[in-house]
Amino acid sequence: MLKYLLEKEFKQFFRNPFLPKLVIVFPIMIMLVIPWVTTLDIKNINIIVVDSDHSQLSERLIRDISMSGYFRLQEVTGDYNKAMTGIEYGIADVILEIPSNFEKELTNTLTAPVQISINTVNGTKGSLGGSYLGQILQSFSTEMLRSQSIEPVQQGFTPRLEMIIQNSYNPYLDYKIFMIPALIVILLIVLCGVLPALNIVSEKEQGTIEQINVTPIPKFLFIFAKLIPYWVMGMIVMSICMFLAWLVYGLAPAGNIFVIYLFALLFTFAVSGFGLVISNYSSTMQQALFVTFFFVMIFQLMSGLLTPLRSMPDWAQWITVFIPPKYFIQAIRLLYLKGSNFSDLLPEFFALLGFVCFFSVWAVLSYKKSK
């Protein structure tokens, strides 16, 4: 029975003059155009300070950084390896290392080295973070000299802190590397979430679904046959996007490619099931389009696709817990750019698996089959 249902679905798909072209042309155009025109605005950058000096000036510098409005001070520690662990686990975006004898060198020579380590998976965030921190350090050194009644211009000094910046994961601060995984998620949402939402509704309007309703086909089997073509479509789109990312931008996954496909498959399961839920509650194409457009906008704006989640208000960050794309975005960026292992992504895996089960069961139960 499943074989004939799938044959019906695929024939219906390929007889449509628009959909097969959409699956191929849409991801190609998005991947070739959007990464060049999208920019980001960043705030609330998490920072860990490694203070090896423990002096009054180092404490004053830390206070100036935390009060700047650009940074969130996560921790002050004396262990650089512990701070790097914070970078690796996404707790911090920037590390400022203040060496020992910082106060002594800055007071005596007006020059003191500090090191800034930046997580540049998000190239724009890393670039702005380094720039903001550099401005704060320069302002700090100038204020320090003024407080000691030293006129830099008259004495011929240029007050400065020597900064050594290390960019991790995205050394050239290329924002396209940050955007490409997000675009893959957007394409899967549109093609594997919106199209299933329109599928059953179109059959309702055409009256063909009544022929299915009078047959002894179980609801679960009918919904399953509806979803399989979109799962196949999602894997095709994923492959096209990954190939173009490698061919055009030189971006290859740092992690296991099979783990990437596993998370992509789970995500397509979740969004296609969600699309069928919408179609079950919609009577017309207009209703289905309006509802899916509403949720697609929420998914794009509140899942970390285009803006960091930490830049949102606290109440909005709580809402993102219930948004499926959030977990796939986190997983694909960590896999693509950091090369994380599957064990590092267990929270995202179980979250997506939960959404798959929830929306699949909801899609089956919400489908009203006539007797």
Side-chain angles (χ1 to χ4, degrees):
M1 189 178 296
L2 180 61
K3 172 186 174 183
Y4 293 110
L5 287 173
L6 288 176
E7 183 179 354
K8 165 191 170 295
E9 293 297 328
F10 279 106
K11 283 184 177 179
Q12 185 176 345
F13 176 80
F14 286 107
R15 284 174 181 171
N16 189 305
F18 177 71
L19 289 181
K21 298 175 184 177
L22 178 68
V23 174
I24 303 299
V25 176
F26 189 45
I28 292 176
M29 294 302 298
I30 291 295
M31 293 296 292
L32 293 181
V33 176
I34 299 301
W36 300 97
V37 299
T38 306
T39 58
L40 303 174
D41 187 21
I42 305 299
K43 64 177 182 178
N44 293 333
I45 303 168
N46 289 339
I47 185 171
I48 293 179
V49 178
V50 180
D51 187 2
S52 301
D53 192 47
H54 303 289
S55 62
Q56 291 184 355
L57 280 184
S58 65
E59 292 177 0
R60 177 181 167 186
L61 175 59
I62 295 170
R63 184 172 61 253
D64 289 350
I65 293 171
S66 62
M67 296 178 61
S68 66
Y70 294 117
F71 297 91
R72 287 180 176 176
L73 182 61
Q74 297 297 309
E75 185 180 4
V76 178
T77 180
D79 187 355
Y80 183 80
N81 292 329
K82 182 180 179 182
M84 279 303 299
T85 301
I87 285 278
E88 293 172 359
Y89 283 92
I91 300 173
D93 303 304
V94 180
I95 297 173
L96 173 64
E97 184 178 10
I98 303 175
S100 58
N101 298 322
F102 169 80
E103 183 177 44
K104 180 179 179 181
E105 292 185 20
L106 188 59
T107 303
N108 295 336
T109 67
L110 302 181
T111 300
V114 295
Q115 177 170 295
I116 302 172
S117 300
I118 304 173
N119 178 0
T120 51
V121 167
N122 183 340
T124 303
K125 192 173 186 178
S127 176
L128 290 178
S131 176
Y132 294 161
L133 195 52
Q135 294 175 13
I136 294 171
L137 292 174
Q138 184 63 37
S139 176
F140 168 81
S141 61
T142 303
E143 291 297 326
M144 188 273 296
L145 291 174
R146 289 176 179 173
S147 66
Q148 294 183 356
S149 301
I150 298 176
E151 294 295 333
V153 175
Q154 295 178 6
Q155 299 295 331
F157 294 122
T158 302
R160 61 190 179 92
L161 300 174
E162 294 180 355
M163 293 177 290
I164 304 171
I165 299 177
Q166 296 178 346
N167 297 324
S168 303
Y169 311 117
N170 185 4
Y172 300 107
L173 304 178
D174 188 353
Y175 71 92
K176 293 189 292 297
I177 292 178
F178 174 74
M179 285 303 304
I180 287 171
L183 293 176
I184 295 176
V185 179
I186 292 175
L187 287 167
L188 292 180
I189 291 174
V190 173
L191 296 178
C192 300
V194 176
L195 293 184
L198 304 180
N199 188 288
I200 290 182
V201 178
S202 64
E203 291 204 33
K204 287 180 182 178
E205 290 188 339
Q206 296 170 7
T208 57
I209 200 170
E210 298 300 330
Q211 302 173 14
I212 300 294
N213 287 337
V214 298
T215 65
I217 298 174
K219 291 197 300 182
F220 172 78
L221 200 61
F222 175 70
I223 295 298
F224 192 58
K226 285 287 185 184
L227 292 177
I228 288 178
Y230 297 99
W231 298 345
V232 175
M233 184 191 311
M235 295 303 99
I236 293 174
V237 170
M238 186 74 184
S239 300
I240 293 174
C241 292
M242 292 178 67
F243 175 74
L244 289 175
W246 168 77
L247 181 66
V248 179
Y249 305 102
L251 180 61
N256 191 313
I257 190 172
F258 295 106
V259 179
I260 294 177
Y261 272 100
L262 172 62
F263 276 89
L265 193 61
L266 282 177
F267 182 67
T268 55
F269 289 174
V271 294
S272 59
F274 179 69
L276 283 185
V277 169
I278 293 176
S279 68
N280 290 338
Y281 288 99
S282 302
S283 301
T284 64
M285 294 282 284
Q286 289 83 357
Q287 290 180 4
L289 281 172
F290 180 81
V291 175
T292 52
F293 178 77
F294 171 76
F295 280 103
V296 167
M297 290 294 295
I298 292 179
F299 287 167
Q300 291 185 2
L301 297 176
M302 297 190 64
S303 60
L305 275 172
L306 305 175
T307 57
L309 295 177
R310 296 190 185 98
S311 297
M312 301 178 185
D314 292 337
W315 60 266
Q317 295 184 41
W318 279 105
I319 295 176
T320 63
V321 174
F322 306 99
I323 296 180
K326 166 190 173 182
Y327 303 97
F328 183 49
I329 293 164
Q330 293 175 347
I332 194 171
R333 280 178 174 154
L334 292 174
L335 286 164
Y336 236 99
L337 303 178
K338 283 190 174 182
S340 299
N341 298 320
F342 178 75
S343 59
D344 300 326
L345 302 171
L346 288 178
E348 288 80 8
F349 173 79
F350 286 113
L352 286 175
L353 187 61
F355 281 115
V356 170
C357 297
F358 176 74
F359 288 126
S360 298
V361 172
W362 192 2
V364 173
L365 295 179
S366 61
Y367 176 66
K368 305 299 181 181
K369 188 175 185 295
S370 303
K371 300 294 185 181

